[in-house]
Amino acid sequence: MADTQLEPSSSDPLVAGHVDTAEVPSAAWGWSGEAPRTFRFLGWFFAAFLLTMIIGNHTGRVEDWWLVGSAALLVAILVRDIVLRRKPR
């Protein structure tokens, strides 16, 4: 019969990939980092997607203003990120 008890040392904090599992519990069983390049790509993609949604069968302009405003806000966040990344710390 298989042993189903946990190891006594399993409650001890582990260091996995320079991340303390006491602070980030998910680091013990998988990846717990960030993907900044992926997030930036998705940000630009969705900003462009919001602008392409202007082309459609709606007749009102309120939808257009919301789409343009949301895309502009997303682009402003991305540009701010670019500026802060280039600034030396």
Side-chain angles (χ1 to χ4, degrees):
M1 187 166 170
D3 189 20
T4 58
Q5 291 182 350
L6 296 175
E7 296 177 18
S9 63
S10 66
S11 62
D12 296 337
L14 301 173
V15 177
H18 307 293
V19 177
D20 187 10
T21 57
E23 295 177 10
V24 183
S26 64
W29 53 265
W31 177 72
S32 66
E34 292 182 359
R37 291 183 67 196
T38 304
F39 295 149
R40 288 182 197 114
F41 170 77
L42 288 174
W44 289 110
F45 174 79
F46 281 111
F49 179 72
L50 287 173
L51 292 176
T52 58
M53 285 177 59
I54 292 174
I55 304 168
N57 62 354
H58 55 276
T59 57
R61 293 290 165 218
V62 175
E63 298 92 347
D64 294 344
W65 286 109
W66 274 101
L67 290 170
V68 170
S70 299
L73 178 66
L74 193 54
V75 167
I77 292 170
L78 291 167
V79 168
R80 180 182 175 270
D81 180 57
I82 290 171
V83 170
L84 290 178
R85 274 190 296 135
R86 292 183 184 205
K87 191 179 196 180
R89 294 183 182 208

